[in-house]
Structures are given as structure tokens and as C-alpha cells.
Amino acid sequence: MSQRQVLQVFEQYQRARSQFAQAVADLAARPQSIDTLRSADVVCLLRPLLLDVVPSIRQIAALALGRLADYDVELAEAVVKAGIVPQLIGSLPEENRYYKKAAAFVLRAIAKHSPQLANAIVQYGALYMLVICLEDFDPGVKEGASWALGYIARHNPELSQAVVDAGAVPLLVLCIQEPEIALKRIAASTLSDISKHSPELAQTVVDAGAIAYLAQMIPNPDAKLKRQVLSALSQIAKHSVILAQLVAEAEIFPVVLTCLKNSDDYVKKNGATLIREIAKHTPELSQYVVNSGGVAAVIDCIGSCRGTVRLPGIMTLGYVAAHSENLSMVVIVSKGIPPLCLCLVEEHEDHIKAAAAWALGQIGRHTTEHARHVAVANVLPTLLDIFMDPRSSEDLKTKTKNALENILQKCTYLPALEPLLHEAPLSIMPHIIGQFSKVLPRDSKARRLFVTTGGLKKVQEIKAESGSLLQEYINTINNCYPEEIVRYYSPGYSETLLERVENYQPVL
Amino acid sequence: MAAASCGREEGASMAALARLHERLAGLREEYFLTNRAIDEERKAKYKAAVKIQRWFRACRVRAYLRYLSKMAILIQKRWRGYLRRKYFREVVERAYFIKKQKFYNEMAVRIQKTWRGYYVRKNIHNFYALKKYLQGVSVKNEIVRLELQEEAEIKEQEKKMKDLEKKEKEKKYQARKTHYLLSTEQIPGVYNSPSRKSPDPMELLLRQSKPLTHRKQQVKSPFADELYGWPTCKKPPAFVTSLPVLPADRQKPQGPFRDPAEVLQQRYKPVEPTLRVRESMYSSPAKTRELTRREEWRNPIHGKEFLPFSSHHKNYEKYEPSLFKSGKYGQEAYGTKYFREVYPKKWIADKDFETLFSSIALFEKFGKTYSSSGQIV
């Protein structure tokens, strides 16, 4: 009898502990109660439960700690300060997979807040344990471990290198081949986080054979998986020409273009980013992108999205056009200029406008044909407006100015230049007048048009310092016309005429 | 004779002499005058002769000088002519050479001009190739756009179909749940109001649907935790971590059964695939291992492999087959032992069974064709 009573006491205690752990875990899932929990010093109370005899209490305590650390930096720091991490890590090898999952959750929740916390975790030897978890058979454990590794590797190159040194990369590549979609997603996102920092890390990922598996997963219908895979490939390709070539050789091309038509915006964005990272390195890679019809897909993608999702697509067009004039002509022929124009007009964000202005500058700067196409699309007044707008940022102004200068240096299409003549500020004026001075001496019809549209009048009104380039251009233009016309249009001509009338003595 | 003449003459002479003396003064004057005249004449003649001689000598000298200068001129003329002609030949040669060079240059320029124009237009700035390329790119763009459009449409369709199917499934489930709303003979159901011309589609669905069976009591497995909320863990695990405990008072079944503990251990042996099985055949480490294996097979120094050093493998690495390979009354020989292996310990007699009839001739040779280092003799 007394034995049963004694046992009952212990059972009560166990039930109380289990209830407490369960309740704290439930409360930790709700953000409102976390402050109260924090003030009640919950971390120190949960700590002994981690060493409890009953495995389910351990697991639930770990889960509760994970949720707490997930919510807030201070709680995460409190968890680390309470010395919980070594306990978690030390007990990992013997535990079952639920505990491993919960422990990985705690580590991930702590690591996600800041590099210092991630560093602290790494110093406790967490990486070794996480890699052991990666070798486990249960996909949930692998997922938790790779998620934690991803959050650790995300912060800076040193932590990434530490993750790689712990031997995580081949195991992550094996994880990608597993059938569970969530595991694939997280492994892909971890590989993306590792390879984004430096070319050596990206090379390590490539050496483990990741590219082939990632490329195989692009056609997968799951949108979130596609996001991560495309992001991983673009982080690998962005560092150097060789890596970009390796990615391009993995036969991604027609498949990536279908991603650009996906209904999910971030899939489109990451797909466009991948194409941008491949196209930006050399003209041959851009040529390859163009030959597989990438330009058309990117242009359609730009036309169908709004906001920052468009940005990588715009930059792709800019990079492709920048490499050579043939590629720039290809962009023009694929009807790339109207969407870029629309971007300039519609978008509110300055950096997207700046990117669109830069891209238009790259397209138009090669030869007069290119500049003509750009000018015909009525781009120049828009660029000028943006340049003169006081609300534009410095960066936007610089980029629009460069784009205008580049296009104007080759533009001989006078009907597009004339509206600019009336509105342009003095910094742009020399370029415009320069172009006029190149074309007018040779073309008589243009001279006539120049006079009738009031251009000559405007030119006379410009005051330039003598000896400057602007004055030379003005003189060249004035020399194309007879004296009387120039005098007729010079300002104050009517006054001089009236003076002559006054001083005239009539001959009777 | 001379003397005679001289004598006569002496007389004559004396007369002459006297005469002469008379004339002497006049003769002297005459003589003087004549001498003076002669002298003057002589002087004049002398001067004239000198003049003439002088003149003649001068003429001669002049003629000589003229001659000399003529000769000098001739020499110089001939020499200069010769020199200039020689020089002229050189000049002509040079001019000819230059003219030839100019001609060649011009022809070369023509050739180079045509070639360069052709080469540049063909290879470097091939306008027609560029045009064709741009056309090709446009065509490819169109194709890509069409294909993408088609794919997007197909995906839309699929999505719609999925949504429709889901709705259908929902409806059917609802119908099955509320099958009791079906109208009977006496009472028209909710969906079959008498004022309607034909029953509601829900009514028709209800007519077709089978009522749901009772939900089986779901056994809560000991591993059910809230950690199932995680995406990969959707159902309870298939593996058993602890061996099922048989009831203690279970009667030992009669028959040649193995020890249950052994059987359970063999049945629930944890899966530990070897590295070879875990890894795919086509992964690069596997391929390199294959390569090294082949190399080792090709290039050994001698044919005999090293024999094992210890008997560790005999005692500790015994292969235990899984339970599924066991036969009804013990282990089946298939896959575990060699086909032709025999176990003399299991024989109940020393000799083989007597055959009633001759067996197949080939099989008679079994055991007899092989040498003693093989199996039986």
C-alpha cells in the first residue's frame, strides 16, 4: 500500500511536469503571452526539464524553448546564457528523432537572430551534432538539421566556411535527392545560403555535384521548391564566369523560361535573377541566353509583373544589351524597349527606375540605329523629366544623366531631339546642340524643319560662354544659315528694327 | 788669163778712178742718200715684215688656240654626252621601276580593297547574316512565347480541373454525410420540394451516395506527439523501436519452431544498409571506386590474393540472413548457401541413396568429375 502511495506521489509529479511543459509550449506559440512568460523567468524553469527522465517531457521542453527563442532576440540570448545549448548538443546522439528535431528547432531559432548568436552556437560544437543529424534516416530530423545549418550559414562567410568544414555539403546534396518536398526545399535553401558568400564556397557546393540535382528539380511543380532551387543556382552562378558556365551547361535553359511564366511572383523573380547572373559575365553567355529565346521570356515577364519583381528582368536586358551591338539589336527586335519605357513611367521605386534608365542607356549607346530606335519610342523626354524632377534621388539622377548622354551622343533622329531642346538644362544642352551641329550642315530639309519648329530661335536664346564647346556648336549651326535669318531670330531683333524705324528720316 | 785681164783692167781702172774721183762728192751724197733711202726702205720693209710676221704668227697662234679649244670642247662635249647618257639610262631605269611599282601598288590596292570589303562584309560585319540572325531570334522568341503561353494555359486548366475535382469531392462527401436528407415516399426531402418541377441536383447526388461507415476507433499510438505538425512527419512511423513483448504465459507451440526471441530479433533487426547499397551506382565516388576496383583487377603483381591474417571474419562476421529467406521449417538453402554445397554432418547415412533407375547421364558425373580440391569425390 505505502509503496503504491509513494509511487503515486512520483506519478503526480511526473504528470505535473508534463502538464507544465505542455502548457508552456502552447503558450509560447502565442505571441501575447511571451512577455509574461519572459518575466516569469521561464527559461530557467525549463532548463531542468531538459534533463528529465521521461523522454516526452524532454521533447516538449525542447519544443517550448525553441518557440521562445524563435520569437525574440533577447529570449534567444537568455537561452544561450542559461547554458542550455551544451546540454542540448551533448544529449543529441542518444536521443530519439523527436528530440533531435526539437533540438534542431531550438538551434535554428537561436541562430536566426544574429551572427554573434550563431557564432556562440558554433563554438559549442553544434555543427558536428547537426551534421550527425543530417546523416539520420528520418526526413524530419534531416529537415530540422539542414534548416538550422542554413540559418547559421546565412550570416557571414566565416560561419558558412565553418558549416562547410564540418562536412555538411555532401550530406545536403544527398538530402536534395530525397523524395520529401519539404526536405528538398530546405536543403536547397541551405545550399543557396552557403554558396552566396564567396566563389570558394560556391565551388565547394559545385564540387559536391549539386548543380545536376538542382537543375533536375527545376521542373518540379511545387512553387516554393522552385524558388529555393532557382535562388541556389543563381547564388552559385553569380560569382565567376566558370561557375556560370557550369550552371548554363546543366541544361537549364528551356526549363527556366517556363519558371518565368509561373503564377508565383517570387519564382519569376528568382528565375529572372538566375538568367541575369548567367548573362552578365561574358558576351558568349549572353548569346547563349539569347539563342534559347531567353530575351522574349524575360520581356514578357517584365510586362506581366509589378514592383521589385521586375528588377532582375530589367537588369538582365541591360546586361545583355551592354555586351555588344548585335545583342542590343536583338533586344530591340524582340520589342524590349516599350516595357522598359513603361517601367520608367509606372514604377514608384527609385532603384527600379534607375535600373530601367541604365538598361535603356545600354541599349541606345552603340550606334545611330540603336539610338534611333530608343528615341522613336519617346523615351528621351521621360528620361529628361526624371532627371529634372527634384524628388529623384542622387543615384537616379546620375543614372538618367549617363543614359541620356550615352543615347544623345549617337542620336541623329532630329524629331525626337527637338522637344528636348526646349526643356533641357544646361548640363545636357551641349550634347543636344552637338548632335544638331553634326546633322544640320548636311541635310537641307532638316535645316528647314529646324527653323520652322522654332529650334533656331531657341538656339539663339542660349547664352553660352565664348570658347566653350557649346559656343562652337552654336556657331556651327549659325553658319548653316544665311545672316539675315540668324539676325531675325536673335533676341531683341524687333527692338533693333523699331529703333531703325525711329531713326529713319523719310525722303520727301 | 786672169793676169791678162788684170792688166787691161788696171789701165781702165785708173781712168775710171779719176772719173770716179770727180764724181766722188756727188757720189757720196748720192750714195748717202741712196743708202738713207735704202735704209729707210729697209726699215720700213723690216717693220712691215715684222708686222706681217707678227700678224701671221698671231693668226697661227690663234688658229692653234682655236684648234685647241675646239678640241677641248669636242672632248668635253663627247665626255659630257657620254656621262649624261649613262645617267639618263639610270634615270630611265629608275623611272621605269617606279612606274612599275606604282602600277603594281595600284593593282594590289584594288585587290586588297575588294578582298577586304568582301572579307569584312562576309565575316566581321556580315549584314545579311546579322539580319538573318535577328530574324531567327525573332522566330525563336515567337516560338518560345507561344510555348510558354501554351504551358501557362495548360497549368491554368490543370489548376481549374483540380479545383473542380476538389469541389466535387467536397460535395460528394457532404452528400454522404447528410444522406438522411434523402426524400422518402411519404415525406419529400429538403431538396425535393413539391413546388419544383424536378428535384434539386443535391437530391440526385443524395440518391446516389452511400452513407458513411462508422469511423473506426483510431488507436492513439504511443508516438503520437504534437511534433507531427511538422511538414515531413505526417503519419506514425512504420518502424518499431522496441520489440513486441509476448505474453509471459504463452504456451510454447508444438513443432519445429525456432526460439521466439531469436525470430523477433531477426524480424525487427534495424536496417543498416551498407555504404555500397546506400550510394547510387552512378554517383561520382561510386564511379571512381569502380574505376580503382577495375584497375586493381587489371594490374596485380601476382595472381594470388593475400589470405586473411586472422580468423576474425570467421567468428565475428557471420552473415545472418533475414527472416524472409527462411523456409517453412528452417532456413532455405536458396541464396544463403551454395547450390552444390553439401553438409555431411546432416546426413543420416554415409552413403548416398540407391537409385532405382539410371538418372540422367550428365548428372551421374556429379561429384566424380571434379577433383578432390573441389567438393566431393
Side-chain angles (χ1 to χ4, degrees):
Chain A
M1 275 303 166
S2 72
Q3 202 186 26
R4 235 208 332 187
Q5 276 173 343
V6 171
L7 283 175
Q8 222 175 6
V9 170
F10 280 98
E11 266 178 49
Q12 257 180 347
Y13 181 47
Q14 183 177 320
R15 224 176 296 137
R17 287 200 312 270
S18 165
Q19 268 176 355
F20 173 68
Q22 190 72 42
V24 170
D26 285 334
L27 285 173
R30 282 180 230 134
Q32 314 92 293
S33 28
I34 288 199
D35 285 326
T36 351
L37 285 174
R38 193 204 324 237
S39 55
D41 209 6
V42 66
V43 173
C44 298
L45 285 173
L46 280 176
R47 186 176 157 190
L49 289 182
L50 272 182
L51 299 170
D52 201 277
V53 190
V54 181
S56 62
I57 297 186
R58 289 203 289 269
Q59 290 155 18
I60 300 180
L63 182 65
L65 277 170
R67 286 187 182 156
L68 285 171
D70 193 33
Y71 177 74
D72 188 293
V73 188
E74 290 173 15
L75 276 172
E77 279 176 10
V79 168
V80 169
K81 264 193 222 144
I84 291 184
V85 179
Q87 278 176 339
L88 267 181
I89 296 178
S91 52
L92 256 185
E94 300 99 42
E95 292 287 352
N96 70 4
R97 68 192 124 104
Y98 301 103
Y99 187 78
K100 283 186 188 170
K101 257 201 265 194
F105 176 43
V106 175
L107 291 172
R108 157 182 128 222
I110 297 179
K112 86 173 185 192
H113 294 286
S114 82
Q116 289 82 15
L117 284 170
N119 229 329
I121 295 187
V122 167
Q123 274 166 1
Y124 282 125
L127 287 178
Y128 181 60
M129 284 302 139
L130 285 172
V131 167
I132 291 186
C133 284
L134 266 184
E135 291 173 341
D136 199 276
F137 281 105
D138 182 59
V141 173
K142 286 200 241 205
E143 187 186 329
S146 50
W147 210 334
L149 284 169
Y151 276 18
I152 293 178
R154 187 179 282 200
H155 294 287
N156 60 36
E158 288 82 25
L159 286 167
S160 258
Q161 188 64 46
V163 170
V164 167
D165 289 337
V169 175
L171 293 165
L172 285 169
V173 173
L174 278 175
C175 282
I176 285 195
Q177 305 166 38
E178 298 278 333
E180 288 84 16
I181 296 239
L183 181 54
K184 284 203 227 235
R185 269 187 223 151
I186 292 179
S189 116
T190 311
L191 284 174
S192 160
D193 285 331
I194 290 178
S195 45
K196 77 181 179 192
H197 294 286
S198 87
E200 292 82 26
L201 290 164
Q203 188 67 45
T204 327
V205 172
V206 167
D207 287 338
I211 294 187
Y213 298 116
L214 288 170
Q216 275 167 13
M217 287 201 287
I218 299 182
N220 195 303
D222 185 52
K224 290 190 182 163
L225 176 61
K226 276 208 237 238
R227 276 189 215 170
Q228 300 300 340
V229 165
L230 290 170
S231 152
L233 284 170
S234 58
Q235 302 291 2
I236 292 177
K238 80 178 182 192
H239 293 287
S240 80
V241 184
I242 301 180
L243 288 168
Q245 278 171 346
L246 280 173
V247 173
E249 278 165 21
E251 288 175 26
I252 51 175
F253 254 95
V255 189
V256 165
L257 304 178
T258 53
C259 297
L260 289 175
K261 275 275 189 196
N262 199 296
S263 44
D264 190 49
D265 273 346
Y266 285 99
V267 172
K268 283 194 213 173
K269 185 175 179 198
N270 287 350
T273 315
L274 176 57
I275 298 184
R276 173 188 89 193
E277 300 301 349
I278 291 182
K280 81 177 184 193
H281 292 283
T282 70
E284 287 80 24
L285 281 168
S286 291
Q287 185 91 43
Y288 176 64
V289 170
V290 163
N291 288 351
S292 3
V295 173
V298 167
I299 292 174
D300 284 347
C301 175
I302 295 180
S304 64
C305 324
R306 300 277 171 273
T308 33
V309 181
R310 279 176 166 175
L311 184 62
I314 299 176
M315 291 180 73
T316 314
L317 288 179
Y319 280 125
V320 167
H323 282 298
S324 88
E325 53 181 62
N326 294 346
L327 288 171
S328 174
M329 195 45 117
V330 166
V331 173
I332 295 177
V333 158
S334 320
K335 305 188 191 67
I337 302 185
L340 287 174
C341 249
L342 278 175
C343 276
L344 264 185
V345 171
E346 287 176 352
E347 289 293 332
H348 302 294
E349 300 273 312
D350 272 356
H351 57 272
I352 306 181
K353 284 201 207 191
W358 170 77
L360 282 166
Q362 294 303 324
I363 295 179
R365 77 180 165 101
H366 297 279
T367 71
T368 47
E369 268 302 305
H370 298 83
R372 195 177 69 84
H373 281 285
V374 172
V376 160
N378 212 9
V379 163
L380 297 173
T382 330
L383 281 174
L384 195 62
D385 283 335
I386 297 179
F387 179 60
M388 312 261 281
D389 193 345
R391 289 171 302 175
S392 328
S393 63
E394 278 306 308
D395 177 57
L396 178 56
K397 282 201 180 154
T398 332
K399 288 215 166 89
T400 359
K401 181 157 184 276
N402 287 340
L404 265 178
E405 282 177 9
N406 285 337
I407 299 176
L408 284 173
Q409 269 168 6
K410 299 281 175 171
C411 182
T412 52
Y413 185 62
L414 296 179
L417 287 181
E418 286 187 29
L420 283 184
L421 190 59
H422 296 277
E423 294 169 7
L426 264 177
S427 46
I428 309 274
M429 201 55 95
H431 300 279
I432 307 178
I433 307 274
Q435 289 303 109
F436 274 112
S437 70
K438 281 183 205 159
V439 177
L440 285 179
R442 294 169 223 276
D443 191 355
S444 57
K445 282 210 192 97
R447 286 201 280 268
R448 193 192 160 105
L449 267 174
F450 190 57
V451 172
T452 49
T453 52
L456 192 57
K457 183 160 187 210
K458 182 74 172 87
V459 167
Q460 303 308 319
E461 285 165 13
I462 299 175
K463 291 188 184 39
E465 301 138 23
S466 56
S468 74
L469 208 54
L470 188 53
Q471 189 62 35
E472 275 181 43
Y473 291 145
I474 296 182
N475 289 343
T476 328
I477 296 180
N478 286 345
N479 291 342
C480 302
Y481 290 96
E483 265 284 333
E484 305 96 49
I485 311 240
V486 174
R487 248 186 289 141
Y488 177 73
Y489 278 114
S490 48
Y493 186 63
S494 47
E495 275 82 43
T496 45
L497 272 182
L498 285 173
E499 260 179 64
R500 272 184 68 189
V501 163
E502 275 176 15
N503 299 339
Y504 185 67
Q505 302 290 337
V507 174
L508 289 163
Chain B
M1 57 189 258
S5 68
C6 274
R8 181 156 18 111
E9 274 173 16
E10 263 187 56
S13 76
M14 281 307 294
L17 207 37
R19 248 185 291 131
L20 274 171
H21 257 298
E22 290 160 13
R23 260 188 11 229
L24 195 65
L27 262 170
R28 263 204 199 127
E29 225 175 287
E30 219 180 296
Y31 183 69
F32 177 72
L33 280 172
T34 327
N35 271 353
R36 196 161 92 183
I38 289 171
D39 202 60
E40 279 175 356
E41 247 182 75
R42 193 200 62 159
K43 278 190 181 155
K45 277 191 183 161
Y46 175 75
K47 281 194 179 147
V50 165
K51 211 176 193 177
I52 289 172
Q53 282 183 5
R54 184 178 74 212
W55 190 270
F56 180 70
R57 286 203 174 124
C59 278
R60 254 187 48 184
V61 164
R62 273 201 290 271
Y64 182 61
L65 283 177
R66 223 179 2 252
Y67 172 73
L68 276 184
S69 65
K70 242 169 90 177
M71 289 303 114
I73 287 175
L74 187 72
I75 292 174
Q76 285 179 0
K77 175 175 93 176
R78 293 232 179 118
W79 174 250
R80 282 180 188 164
Y82 165 73
L83 228 46
R84 283 285 168 266
R85 269 188 293 277
K86 198 165 82 150
Y87 179 66
F88 178 69
R89 271 183 220 115
E90 277 177 31
V91 163
V92 162
E93 241 183 72
R94 247 182 256 146
Y96 179 59
F97 180 74
I98 288 174
K99 203 166 169 181
K100 262 201 310 192
Q101 281 296 99
K102 278 200 186 138
F103 180 70
Y104 289 158
N105 279 351
E106 198 150 313
M107 294 303 119
V109 163
R110 270 191 219 174
I111 295 173
Q112 285 179 7
K113 173 171 88 172
T114 338
W115 165 252
R116 278 181 193 175
Y118 167 75
Y119 181 74
V120 163
R121 266 177 237 121
K122 186 148 197 245
N123 298 331
I124 300 179
H125 291 297
N126 192 345
F127 175 72
Y128 296 104
L130 183 66
K131 204 165 151 186
K132 228 167 132 186
Y133 173 68
L134 287 174
Q135 272 172 359
V137 167
S138 309
V139 167
K140 175 88 190 188
N141 284 348
E142 284 306 311
I143 295 175
V144 163
R145 279 184 171 134
L146 272 174
E147 280 181 10
L148 288 180
Q149 188 78 19
E150 279 171 16
E151 277 207 40
E153 276 168 18
I154 290 175
K155 282 226 173 92
E156 280 285 317
Q157 286 282 15
E158 274 177 18
K159 213 171 148 199
K160 271 190 203 156
M161 291 298 292
K162 263 196 193 159
D163 281 337
L164 275 175
E165 273 180 24
K166 211 169 154 192
K167 278 194 193 135
E168 284 288 326
K169 223 173 141 184
E170 265 289 317
K171 266 194 191 165
K172 281 197 181 146
Y173 180 66
Q174 284 298 323
R176 281 186 81 182
K177 258 178 110 169
T178 56
H179 70 280
Y180 46 81
L181 293 176
L182 187 63
S183 59
T184 55
E185 286 278 337
Q186 293 286 340
I187 311 175
V190 182
Y191 294 112
N192 193 6
S193 136
S195 58
R196 287 173 71 102
K197 276 186 239 155
S198 63
D200 196 70
M202 193 66 182
E203 173 73 21
L204 295 169
L205 203 59
L206 283 173
R207 283 186 197 162
Q208 286 170 358
S209 54
K210 215 170 66 159
L212 292 171
T213 50
H214 289 293
R215 235 191 300 174
K216 284 207 184 87
Q217 192 68 23
Q218 279 195 351
V219 176
K220 197 159 161 66
S221 87
F223 308 106
D225 259 338
E226 63 196 342
L227 296 165
Y228 285 161
W230 291 24
T232 41
C233 204
K234 290 217 189 313
K235 48 179 171 40
F239 292 118
V240 179
T241 47
S242 62
L243 299 177
V245 178
L246 299 163
D249 49 350
R250 173 173 165 270
Q251 283 236 331
K252 192 159 177 267
Q254 213 183 24
F257 293 118
R258 285 170 61 192
D259 185 16
E262 252 181 55
V263 172
L264 280 177
Q265 205 188 32
Q266 198 183 16
R267 162 72 179 84
Y268 292 110
K269 197 166 64 164
V271 174
E272 272 167 18
T274 58
L275 192 64
R276 190 187 72 82
V277 169
R278 263 195 250 175
E279 213 176 62
S280 94
M281 239 188 347
Y282 303 108
S283 68
S284 47
K287 280 190 193 157
T288 36
R289 219 173 290 129
E290 177 70 27
L291 274 176
T292 41
R293 202 171 63 83
R294 283 215 203 116
E295 248 189 66
E296 274 177 43
W297 187 83
R298 264 187 302 196
N299 311 330
I301 305 174
H302 58 90
K304 268 195 199 172
E305 274 188 1
F306 291 122
L307 295 173
F309 296 118
S310 66
S311 345
H312 178 263
H313 67 285
K314 281 190 210 155
N315 300 328
Y316 295 104
E317 290 176 8
K318 277 206 177 84
Y319 170 62
E320 224 182 75
S322 84
L323 196 60
F324 302 107
K325 286 206 214 106
S326 309
K328 228 172 161 187
Y329 301 111
Q331 270 180 352
E332 250 176 44
Y334 186 84
T336 55
K337 309 275 185 194
Y338 294 113
F339 281 110
R340 294 200 183 150
E341 233 177 37
V342 290
Y343 299 100
K345 286 187 198 150
K346 288 197 179 164
W347 289 351
I348 44 178
D350 281 338
K351 286 190 290 190
D352 204 356
F353 290 118
E354 230 179 59
T355 52
L356 290 178
F357 52 90
S358 62
S359 51
I360 306 174
L362 187 64
F363 293 169
E364 278 282 287
K365 295 193 195 140
F366 177 67
K368 294 179 189 137
T369 348
Y370 300 106
S371 62
S372 61
S373 69
Q375 273 116 7
I376 328 160
V377 151

